[in-house]
Amino acid sequence: MTTYDFDTPVDRHGTWCTQWDYVEDRFGVAGLLPFTISDMDFETAPEVLAALRGRLEHGVLGYSRWRHADFLHAVTDWFARRYDAEIAALSVAYAPSVLYQAGALIDLWSAPGDGVVVHTPAYDAFPRLIAARGRELRGCALDDWAEFERLIALADTSVLLLCSPHNPTGRVWSETELDRMAALCARHGVAVISDEIHADLAHRPFSTWVRHAGGPGRWAVVTSASKSFNIPALTGSYGVIGDPASLDAYLTRVKDADGLSSPAVLGLVGHIAAYRSGGPWLDELREYVHGNLRLVADQLNTSFPVLAWRPPEAGYLAWIDLRPLGVDDGALQRELTEHEKVAIMPGTTYGAPGFVRLNVGCPRTKAEAGVRALVSALERLTG
């Protein structure tokens, strides 16, 4: 029996919503039903909403701080309960966003011109983040360990920017794989930044980099409750930084160089409430979105058995390999936008022609509409 309602649609139009109000920016057509940017169409946990309302009712929204027991212990207790991972509270650092922190750590642990290794296909913000800092992106296919070791061993490779679980594929790295990455990076003096913003949405047990890095060193986990509890508009994230000197340098940058000493207080409230009270909601959410993903698998594989598509191990993003069908990417996008009136992310956004990424973090009726539109477009192109 479920406690929370994920079936009732919420109208997001007119809320300055990136996915709904600005779909024309990316797809060139207004009014499309969107399955795009990775946020969900669900209200966040009622426990989080209650905490936010309570803070607003106080009425004073002055400067705040994040380095206090309420925030730090909410984070460390969450890691202990969910991942059996022990984190020192004083190794936790606040950041306005995961990408901000990843960028600051790339600046700290590398020099212009250095290489940053990223698994491909890659989350589309990673190439921009790396290029904007004058570093060189060194892409490596997910299972190409020979290439991974070659790139890590290059003298001017300074950082592994790991996406764990991986976006866009939803891949959850195994214990053995994480151990292997940790050992290779340690051997060659390569720092590791592990973006784990999708970790809470894994559909099987997940272990963070904290459990593989072996104590102090140049590694960091950067993450947030924003993805799992659907609160990115509150802003706010945090990191766990293994090396005390790097933590001090990072905090100096945040507070002094970038003037970000006062966090968004509602972001803090949202994180604390999510981690203290939101576990049951998150557990039901994961089951619900996995049901959506099973729906995608059933519909796709019934219509196109050759795809043999399986749900990802983490998240609500269906990463679908359409190459067995031989359809043209441009033709498919035209069918989807002009005839089906839906927006589905093309794999080319992530450097992977022949794929699409379908966001089913939404009520089941919307997920049904999305996969139905995709199937219809594919049937016309392959018929």
Side-chain angles (χ1 to χ4, degrees):
M1 180 177 178
T2 59
T3 303
Y4 302 98
D5 177 14
F6 299 107
D7 282 320
T8 302
V10 178
D11 186 359
R12 301 181 67 187
H13 289 104
T15 61
W16 312 308
C17 172
T18 298
Q19 181 162 196
W20 287 81
D21 289 330
Y22 301 105
V23 67
E24 186 176 4
D25 292 354
R26 186 186 291 269
F27 290 86
V29 181
L32 300 178
L33 184 64
F35 300 86
T36 56
I37 191 170
S38 58
D39 69 2
M40 296 182 285
D41 289 325
F42 308 120
E43 288 186 353
T44 190
E47 295 84 354
V48 173
L49 292 174
L52 294 171
R53 292 187 187 104
R55 183 63 182 84
L56 287 172
E57 286 172 1
H58 178 265
V60 179
L61 299 172
Y63 289 119
S64 185
R65 296 191 180 187
W66 60 266
R67 214 168 195 184
H68 50 72
D70 285 342
F71 177 64
L72 297 178
H73 290 168
V75 170
T76 58
D77 291 349
W78 181 257
F79 272 68
R81 292 195 313 273
R82 304 292 287 203
Y83 304 126
D84 192 27
E86 184 177 347
I87 295 174
L90 293 182
S91 69
V92 176
Y94 177 85
S97 73
V98 164
L99 284 175
Y100 169 87
Q101 189 163 25
L105 290 167
I106 288 173
D107 290 346
L108 183 64
W109 285 337
S110 67
D114 283 0
V116 177
V117 175
V118 173
H119 287 99
T120 56
Y123 168 42
D124 55 314
F126 280 1
R128 299 194 300 271
L129 184 77
I130 293 166
R133 283 166 165 74
R135 275 65 170 175
E136 179 184 297
L137 185 148
R138 293 178 176 166
C140 177
L142 291 178
D143 293 310
D144 192 341
W145 282 97
E147 178 66 359
F148 180 82
E149 184 160 5
R150 185 188 74 81
L151 293 173
I152 291 295
L154 293 175
D156 60 347
T157 292
S158 295
V159 173
L160 166 63
L161 181 54
L162 181 66
C163 200
S164 180
H166 185 260
N167 179 13
T169 67
R171 163 97 169 254
V172 174
W173 300 103
S174 71
E175 299 274 348
T176 300
E177 290 169 326
L178 290 173
D179 284 337
R180 188 173 179 182
M181 287 185 225
L184 286 168
C185 289
R187 182 189 311 163
H188 296 289
V190 173
V192 179
I193 304 166
S194 185
D195 174 353
E196 303 190 2
I197 197 169
H198 289 270
D200 292 330
L201 293 164
H203 298 297
R204 64 183 178 85
F206 175 80
S207 296
T208 70
W209 190 263
V210 174
R211 299 178 62 183
H212 294 266
R218 291 194 311 154
W219 60 267
V221 168
V222 293
T223 189
S224 173
S226 63
K227 198 69 66 178
S228 46
F229 288 91
N230 207 35
I231 53 172
L234 294 181
T235 73
S237 68
Y238 61 91
V240 182
I241 300 177
D243 174 42
S246 296
L247 175 62
D248 288 343
Y250 168 79
L251 292 175
T252 297
R253 167 164 180 165
V254 173
K255 182 176 180 180
D256 298 331
D258 293 345
L260 297 174
S261 57
S262 181
V265 69
L266 294 183
L268 291 181
V269 170
H271 273 76
I272 292 167
Y275 285 170
R276 283 181 176 172
S277 307
W281 179 90
L282 179 61
D283 291 337
E284 287 194 19
L285 169 85
R286 294 195 328 182
E287 287 303 311
Y288 188 90
V289 297
H290 198 53
N292 284 349
L293 291 164
R294 289 194 299 268
L295 167 72
V296 173
D298 290 344
Q299 295 296 315
L300 273 180
N301 295 334
T302 296
S303 298
F304 304 101
V306 68
L307 295 180
W309 188 79
R310 294 184 298 174
E313 297 170 302
Y316 47 82
L317 304 170
W319 180 249
I320 305 169
D321 184 358
L322 298 175
R323 290 174 298 177
L325 301 181
V327 298
D328 177 76
D329 289 342
L332 175 59
Q333 283 299 312
R334 287 190 295 274
E335 287 290 332
L336 292 171
T337 57
E338 295 175 11
H339 296 285
E340 299 298 333
K341 304 300 181 184
V342 299
I344 298 173
M345 296 294 282
T348 51
T349 301
Y350 314 97
F355 289 76
V356 292
R357 195 188 79 170
L358 176 71
N359 178 351
V360 291
C362 57
R364 186 125 321 137
T365 53
K366 185 189 173 196
E368 290 169 348
V371 69
R372 186 167 58 245
L374 178 59
V375 167
S376 295
L378 290 171
E379 285 177 340
R380 283 195 297 275
L381 291 172
T382 57

